[in-house]
Structures are given as C-alpha cells and as structure tokens.
Amino acid sequence: MAYSSNILVIVGLDENDNFSPKKLTIWATDSDSVLSEREFLFKIEAVRLNKSRLVACLKDKIHIYNMTNLKFLVSVNVNFPLGRLALSPSSDCPCLAYSDSIETGNIVIYDVHALIQKTEINAHKSPIIKLAINYYGTHIVTSSCKGTLVRVFSVPQGERLCSFRRGINSAQIYSLNFNINTTCVTLSSSSGTVHIFKMPGKFDIPGEE
C-alpha cells in the first residue's frame, strides 16, 4: 500500500495464481480496478515505493517508475540483488540504496530523482542481508549476513557515523529500521530477541531546529 493513498501494488507468489510473481499489478482500491500492469521475464524479488517513485527489483535489473503517472524512467543493471534494497520513505528524499554482491558488503546509493549513482559504501566485509533508510533520507543502517554488527552511515556521503554490536554469535536478521526521528535503531533476529539501540548525539535532521 502506498501510505494513506488508494494505491496497492501486488506481486503474486505462484505462476498459477491470478497474480504472477513476474507481473507487477497496480490496483486502485477505491474503484476496485487495475490501474496498470508490468510484466517481466524474471521473478520480481522486491518492490519499494514512496509517493514519487516505484522501484521493482529483479535478479538482473532494478526498474524505476514515476508514481504520479506510472511512467517508466530507467533500469539499473545489477548482478544479484535478492531484493536487498531500500528506498527513502519520504518522496522529498531521492535516496535508493541496494547491494548486488554475494561476496562483499558494498552498498550503492542511487538518486531516483536525478537518476544517477551518488556513491558506493564499503559497509561490511560480509554480504549485506538487511538495510534501511531513515525517513529523511539522511542515514542508512546496515547488517551483514553474520548479523553481529549493525552500522549507520550518512547519505549520500557514505561516512560511517556509528556501530552497534548485536552479539558475538551469528544470527539471521529479520528486520532492521530507524524510528521516525532517527534517534533509535531497532532489529529483530533469529536469536529470539529484539534490540533497540540509541543513536549517539544529535544529528542534523531536515525540518528540525
């Protein structure tokens, strides 16, 4: 669902379903009808959207659309994303982050308004498993497949701001995100615990004194 709008984006789980995993359907809940459909050669790994952009991730490309008119904008070639991407929740912030490596923990920061790559961050030694962007598009939080360390970087500069240790034993990270004010980072994992980390200091956030 696109926030409080009447737009619902649907991707199926099985080829035998009415909604195929290779087809992206944009549905209007107020009129109970299809606004647009996009079919692809490969399975859709992930979908991210805000009020200005819709991003569909496949195994070899990331497709970016304008949400206001559903117009196709650009495709970004990737190697192996597995749906490991994040889009800024605010449409005022143009930040898309993704990792397309199964060997390293690098993250690409892409501007979905200017449609250009901004920077690349060497976040971890191991491949990225989870990442999230704060509401204002100024920070990104990451975790590798080991799940022991969580790191926060500035966007789009890529400067490491702080690190948190979840534990010494590896664990699968299920969810990872900031709170609305970027004062905390929360994660859940296969260890059976939920961690809440307090961000150090006070960072410059747009709209705040």
Side-chain angles (χ1 to χ4, degrees):
M1 178 73 74
Y3 301 91
S4 58
S5 74
N6 65 316
I7 303 299
L8 186 67
V9 179
I10 304 171
V11 177
L13 292 175
D14 192 282
E15 289 288 359
N16 295 324
D17 292 340
N18 292 329
F19 299 100
S20 165
K22 297 179 181 179
K23 183 170 69 174
L24 185 142
T25 301
I26 302 173
W27 189 276
T29 57
D30 56 347
S31 61
D32 199 25
S33 62
V34 174
L35 291 179
S36 180
E37 291 182 327
R38 298 289 188 273
E39 294 197 37
F40 304 100
L41 293 176
F42 301 108
K43 174 186 173 183
I44 300 169
E45 300 288 350
V47 175
R48 302 287 184 269
L49 68 157
N50 58 30
K51 292 182 179 179
S52 67
R53 293 292 183 264
L54 169 65
V55 179
C57 177
L58 280 64
K59 73 173 187 177
D60 64 338
K61 292 183 186 297
I62 294 174
H63 300 285
I64 301 174
Y65 297 87
N66 187 331
M67 270 296 290
T68 59
N69 55 17
L70 304 179
K71 179 183 177 181
F72 170 75
L73 297 175
V74 72
S75 290
V76 180
N77 293 324
V78 292
N79 296 319
F80 203 77
L82 289 177
R84 296 172 297 176
L85 76 165
L87 179 66
S88 173
S90 172
S91 58
D92 295 328
C93 302
C95 181
L96 169 71
Y98 65 89
S99 177
D100 65 348
S101 174
I102 60 172
E103 297 179 352
T104 66
N106 287 7
I107 295 171
V108 174
I109 304 297
Y110 189 89
D111 188 320
V112 294
H113 290 176
L115 304 179
I116 57 172
Q117 179 176 322
K118 299 293 288 186
T119 189
E120 187 167 353
I121 303 171
N122 185 9
H124 298 266
K125 292 182 179 179
S126 302
I128 299 295
I129 193 66
K130 287 291 181 182
L131 67 164
I133 300 171
N134 70 333
Y135 178 81
Y136 302 99
T138 57
H139 296 61
I140 183 170
V141 60
T142 65
S143 177
S144 75
C145 60
K146 290 185 177 180
T148 54
L149 284 175
V150 173
R151 289 177 175 149
V152 179
F153 300 87
S154 64
V155 174
Q157 299 87 354
E159 176 188 358
R160 187 193 297 185
L161 300 176
C162 56
S163 299
F164 305 108
R165 179 169 288 279
R166 182 209 56 81
I168 58 173
N169 297 319
S170 296
Q172 183 179 356
I173 304 300
Y174 293 146
S175 62
L176 179 67
N177 217 332
F178 294 97
N179 67 340
I180 187 66
N181 295 320
T182 319
T183 56
C184 296
V185 170
T186 304
L187 72 82
S188 62
S189 71
S190 59
S191 66
T193 58
V194 174
H195 288 71
I196 301 175
F197 302 103
K198 184 178 180 180
M199 292 282 289
K202 181 174 176 63
F203 300 103
D204 292 330
I205 298 297
E208 291 192 354
E209 297 295 325

